[in-house]
Amino acid sequence: MSSYAIDITAARREVQYPNGIITKIGKDSAVTFPAELPLEALDPILSEELDLVGLIGDIVQAEGPEGLETSKVVAAIFRRPALPRKFLAAVRETYAILLGDEFEDFQKVKPSIGDYVRLTTALTKVYGLELGKLLRSAASSESDSPTSSQTSPDSTESTRDESGSALDTPNSSDSDA
């Protein structure tokens, strides 16, 4: 018997959704998304051809002293006239990766833009993705300040060897004050 420091299979959503994420898509139709988001499903959205990351970078740079400058955001979008079609193609490709053979069944119900938005929103919650936090933390992590340094190289030597042992301090009710 071996002991693992980390077992990545223990926390998988297959435990919560052993048969996948079954999703109703029509009156009498359903498709099944994988319990875990496959890494390859992000490839179409993050492709260099789509350049969504570049657009987000341009939007982040469009922020002036009084907030986001709309004219710069609009200019960044208009520099990419093929973006809407490429984005829709990337969304379809992502869903094709997620659904595999069931993608044709999904397409037969002719999902609307609203259907894609609602479904994507629900799936990001189930998959545990928070894109707003990811993008916000990536933008906020940039800093012009110097990197902080360690305050004391030997600061851990004062840690007790016996973890969880009782402290030798008197209880406040035991004091003679």
Side-chain angles (χ1 to χ4, degrees):
M1 183 167 116
S2 59
S3 176
Y4 300 102
I6 298 172
D7 181 1
I8 66 168
T9 60
R12 287 185 167 240
R13 277 179 186 65
E14 277 95 357
V15 174
Q16 189 174 6
Y17 301 102
N19 299 318
I21 302 164
I22 301 168
T23 306
K24 184 177 179 179
I25 59 169
K27 188 175 183 177
D28 298 318
S29 302
V31 292
T32 305
F33 287 89
E36 284 285 320
L37 180 67
L39 187 60
E40 70 176 312
L42 298 176
D43 287 343
I45 300 294
L46 299 176
S47 73
E48 288 180 30
E49 182 181 320
L50 182 60
D51 193 31
L52 203 53
V53 174
L55 174 64
I56 292 168
D58 288 351
I59 290 172
V60 168
Q61 298 217 348
E63 189 163 351
E66 296 174 16
L68 204 57
E69 295 181 29
T70 307
S71 62
K72 289 183 179 179
V73 173
V74 171
I77 293 170
F78 278 113
R79 281 194 299 271
R80 297 166 174 86
L83 180 67
R85 285 195 177 280
K86 287 180 181 180
F87 182 74
L88 291 176
V91 169
R92 283 189 196 101
E93 188 177 346
T94 298
Y95 274 79
I97 291 168
L98 290 172
L99 292 172
D101 294 339
E102 292 184 75
F103 182 67
E104 286 183 36
D105 295 336
F106 178 70
Q107 288 296 103
K108 285 179 187 174
V109 299
K110 298 184 189 268
S112 68
I113 292 172
D115 291 336
Y116 275 105
V117 169
R118 286 185 293 278
L119 185 53
T120 301
T121 301
L123 285 171
T124 57
K125 287 178 184 173
V126 172
Y127 286 138
L129 299 175
E130 295 186 47
L131 297 178
K133 284 186 180 179
L134 290 173
L135 296 175
R136 192 170 37 246
S137 65
S140 65
S141 66
E142 296 175 11
S143 174
D144 294 334
S145 64
T147 306
S148 62
S149 60
Q150 188 175 353
T151 56
S152 169
D154 299 322
S155 65
T156 58
E157 287 184 10
S158 64
T159 306
R160 301 177 82 167
D161 289 335
E162 309 88 30
S163 171
S165 61
L167 296 175
D168 293 333
T169 57
N171 190 340
S172 62
S173 62
D174 295 339
S175 67
D176 293 333

